[in-house]
């Protein structure tokens, strides 16, 4: 058994040159009669800027059993980044822009467990290994400032939440009839129809507005990332396979990757669009089919478009055979092995449309990973 621990501070010096100095620029500023006269302008600067600092803590435990045939490793870490450089808002009366300040603080905390085991059953030699890990981040301090970013996908930086967490409306089923439409709530400036998505009215004022009714909807990062490897050797034959996956991830897909008739008929239709809302299919998994301005209600940014991105993938599988040395010595060959392998042979995922579950936010507009099959020969003379 081995107990490990470490603590340290690391500085981030990736700061643009001379950001601590106020630069002077000269540009046309004043008009005297018919003449334009240049003026000198000074940008805001902070002479007290310093490096960002990461405080890193890790504690681990290594265990070996059965003459180290079975090994287990546990790790826990807690990293906090201090003095993150930010442009905090300043009063408009200041008139000098926003100087960069050491104002932010973010924590990353996580753990990892791994194990490997080698054993024999008769003449078969087995090896098994696996690992699982998770990391969570949290914004601890931004001096009360909130940033909302993105176009197709909106994210938010706010104290108490993950960095760039999803920020959107929550969907609340579909309007089933005209009476429900009349009862609301409605998006500001949009009148829905039966079959359209209904959104939660966060503040209860009867109108859905960006400033009042959006929610922080969790983070975009993969959680519970895991892998598993197994193989064996027997009488010249060898076999190995590697599985990998993510236990929890939320993926926000947009555009033609999920929307029927995106951009007015330019987008494709997928099999999951067949289960769309109609008066005879009120429990559909997709709202009514719409084109153009009729899509205004359903196309707004909400968690309706955020999907389960967890997956399990058979990343690699290989089988081979090494010919006996007594055979190879007769033909002056030291070693001869033939093998066949495949990559990305199987992916189990709940993501609609067949998109790669590792796709980026707003994505889906890329081809899924390709299956690759190969055969080969290794010869040593």
């Amino acid at each position: 058994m081995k107990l490990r621990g470490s603590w340290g501070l690391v500085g981030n010096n990736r700061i643009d040159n001379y950001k601590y100095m106020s630069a002077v620029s000269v540009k046309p500023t004043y008009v005297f009669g018919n003449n334009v006269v240049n003026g000198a302008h000074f940008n805001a600067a902070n002479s007290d800027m310093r490096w960002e600092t990461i405080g890193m803590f890790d504690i681990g435990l290594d265990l070996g059993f059965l003459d180290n045939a079975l090994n287990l490793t546990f790790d826990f870490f807690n990293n906090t980044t201090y003095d993150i450089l930010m442009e905090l808002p300043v009063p408009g009366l200041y008139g000098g822009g926003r100087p960069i300040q050491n104002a932010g603080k973010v924590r990353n905390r996580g753990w990892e467990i791994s194990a490997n085991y080698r054993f024999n059953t008769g003449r078969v030699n087995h090896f098994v290994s696996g690992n699982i890990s998770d990391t969570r981040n949290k914004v601890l301090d931004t001096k009360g400032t909130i940033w909302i970013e993105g176009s197709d996908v909106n994210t938010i930086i706010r104290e108490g939440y993950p960095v760039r967490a999803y920020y959107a409306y929550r969907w609340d089923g579909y309007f089933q009839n005209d009476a429900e439409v009349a009862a609301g709530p409605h998006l500001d400036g949009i009148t829905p129809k039966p079959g359209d998505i209904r959104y939660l009215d966060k503040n209860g004022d009867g109108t859905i507005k960006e400033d009042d009714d959006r929610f922080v909807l969790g983070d975009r990062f993969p959680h519970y990332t895991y892998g598993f490897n197994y193989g064996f050797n027997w009488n010249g034959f060898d076999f190995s396979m590697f599985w990998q996956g993510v236990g929890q991830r939320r993926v926000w897909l947009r555009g033609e990757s999920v929307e029927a008739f995106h951009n007015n008929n330019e987008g494709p239709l997928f099999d999951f669009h067949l289960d769309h809302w109609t008066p005879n299919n009120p429990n559909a998994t997709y709202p009514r089919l719409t084109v153009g301005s009729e899509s205004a209600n359903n196309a707004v940014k909400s968690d309706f478009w955020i999907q389960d991105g967890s997956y399990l993938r058979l990343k690699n599988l290989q089988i081979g055979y090494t010919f006996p040395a007594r055979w190879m010595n007769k033909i002056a060959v030291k070693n001869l092995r033939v093998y066949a392998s495949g990559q990305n042979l199987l992916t189990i995922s709940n993501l609609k449309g067949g998109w790669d579950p590792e796709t980026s936010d707003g994505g889906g507009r890329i081809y899924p990973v390709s299956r690759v099959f190969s055969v080969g020969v290794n010869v040593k003379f």
Side-chain angles (χ1 to χ4, degrees), residues 21-27 29 39-45 94-98:
M21 300 178 64
S22 180
V24 181
S25 59
V26 178
K27 59 184 178 181
T29 305
H41 298 261
F42 298 81
N43 71 307
Y94 177 65
R98 296 182 296 179

Side-chain angles (χ1 to χ4, degrees), residues 2-6 58-62 73-75:
K2 179 189 293 184
L3 181 65
R4 297 175 282 103
S6 64
D58 180 273
I59 187 168
L61 180 66
D62 299 332
T73 300
F74 306 88
D75 273 282

Side-chain angles (χ1 to χ4, degrees), residues 17 85 88 97 103 117-118 137 147 165 184-185 187 189-190 194 212 244 273 277 291 295 300 321 338 356 361:
N17 294 331
L85 295 169
L88 296 179
Y117 183 39
R118 292 182 174 273
N137 69 60
W147 285 270
L187 286 161
I190 298 176
D212 302 324
Q244 71 171 45
H273 292 140
W277 185 94
V291 175
S295 303
V300 299
Y321 179 71
V338 295
D356 183 5
D361 294 332

Side-chain angles (χ1 to χ4, degrees), residues 264-286:
N264 300 339
N265 295 324
E266 292 181 10
L269 282 175
F270 295 96
D271 54 357
F272 61 87
H273 292 140
L274 299 177
D275 186 25
H276 60 271
W277 185 94
T278 67
N280 297 323
N281 187 28
N283 298 316
T285 57
Y286 194 84

Side-chain angles (χ1 to χ4, degrees), residues 65-66 68-71 115-120 126-130:
F65 302 93
L66 307 175
N68 288 323
L70 173 61
N71 293 279
N116 62 77
Y117 183 39
R118 292 182 174 273
F119 63 99
N120 300 327
H126 304 266
F127 59 91
V128 182
S129 64

Side-chain angles (χ1 to χ4, degrees), residues 16 33 44 54 92 101-102 133 136 141 172 178 210 231 241 245 297 342 346 374:
D16 291 340
I54 305 175
Q101 305 177 51
N102 295 96
S133 63
R136 308 272 173 166
D141 188 13
D172 188 29
D178 291 330
E210 282 192 348
M241 64 176 178
N297 181 86
L346 174 67
S374 60

Side-chain angles (χ1 to χ4, degrees), residues 325-377:
R326 64 180 184 275
W327 296 0
M328 297 299 99
N329 291 335
K330 298 178 181 180
I331 56 174
V333 172
K334 185 177 180 180
N335 181 275
L336 174 61
R337 178 176 178 267
V338 295
Y339 66 90
S341 66
Q343 294 181 338
N344 305 315
L345 298 179
L346 174 67
T347 301
I348 301 172
S349 168
N350 293 321
L351 207 62
K352 296 177 181 178
W355 303 113
D356 183 5
E358 294 185 272
T359 188
S360 59
D361 294 332
R365 303 171 178 91
I366 58 174
Y367 288 109
V369 293
S370 301
R371 292 190 182 96
V372 179
F373 301 90
S374 60
V375 295
V377 179

